[in-house]
Amino acid sequence: MPSDERLAVELLARTDYGRVATSMRALPFLAFARHIVQDGRVLLRLPRSCGYHRACAGSVVAYGADNLSSARPGESLWSVQVVGECAAHEPSAAELERFGAAPLLVDGEPYEPVYLSVEPQLGTVHSTDDGLERHFEHIP
C-alpha cells in the first residue's frame, strides 16, 4: 500500500466515526458511519433504515474523517479520505466487539446495523503545520 493510503488508513484508525460519500440516483450524498480498520480495510457500520448501504455496496465510495472538532490545543488539524470499492461485509465476533455498542435509535427508528468493507485504492491526507509529516516520518 503506498504511503499516502497507509497514512490515511492509520489516521482513520485513530477515529471512530466518519462520512461515506457516493451517489444515489445520480445525486451525491454523505452519510455518517461508525468505522474500524482491520487488515488495511475500512469496515463500516451504517443504519439499514436509511438505505444508503444499497448505493454503497458494489460501488466506489469515498470515506473520510478528521480531527477538526477533537484536536487539542497546539495539535495539528488533519483530514483524510480513502477511495475504494465497497462491498457488503459479515463481521466476525471480534470485529463486532471492536465496533462497540450500537445506538438504540436513528431518526426515531430502531437501529438495525448493516456492515460494509472499503478496500482503499487511493488516500489523501491534509494537515496543518506539517504536524503529521513529522509524526509519521516512519511510514515508507
Side-chain angles (χ1 to χ4, degrees):
M1 180 183 298
S3 62
D4 286 345
E5 286 83 11
R6 192 170 306 151
L7 177 56
V9 169
E10 189 165 326
L11 286 168
L12 283 173
R14 295 172 59 184
T15 64
D16 293 330
Y17 294 89
R19 290 160 225 83
V20 62
T22 192
S23 62
M24 188 181 325
R25 296 183 206 102
L27 296 174
F29 75 88
L30 288 173
F32 71 92
R34 168 75 170 99
H35 70 267
I36 62 172
V37 173
Q38 181 70 40
D39 299 325
R41 294 173 298 137
V42 181
L43 306 181
L44 309 178
R45 180 178 71 190
L46 296 114
R48 183 179 301 276
S49 61
C50 296
Y52 296 140
H53 63 286
R54 289 189 291 270
C56 294
S59 298
V60 173
V61 302
Y63 188 76
D66 57 56
N67 75 338
L68 301 179
S69 65
S70 64
R72 295 182 304 269
E75 185 178 4
S76 295
L77 299 175
W78 55 263
S79 175
V80 301
Q81 172 181 276
V82 294
V83 176
E85 188 171 339
C86 183
H89 180 74
E90 188 65 40
S92 67
E95 290 167 347
L96 287 173
E97 186 175 321
R98 287 185 58 210
F99 272 111
L104 297 176
L105 301 172
V106 170
D107 298 333
E109 295 184 34
Y111 185 84
E112 182 184 352
V114 64
Y115 297 90
L116 302 170
S117 173
V118 178
E119 189 73 41
Q121 301 298 310
L122 172 70
T124 58
V125 178
H126 299 286
S127 67
T128 60
D129 302 324
D130 290 331
L132 290 177
E133 289 75 8
R134 288 190 305 274
H135 184 74
F136 290 98
E137 287 176 327
H138 67 281
I139 295 179

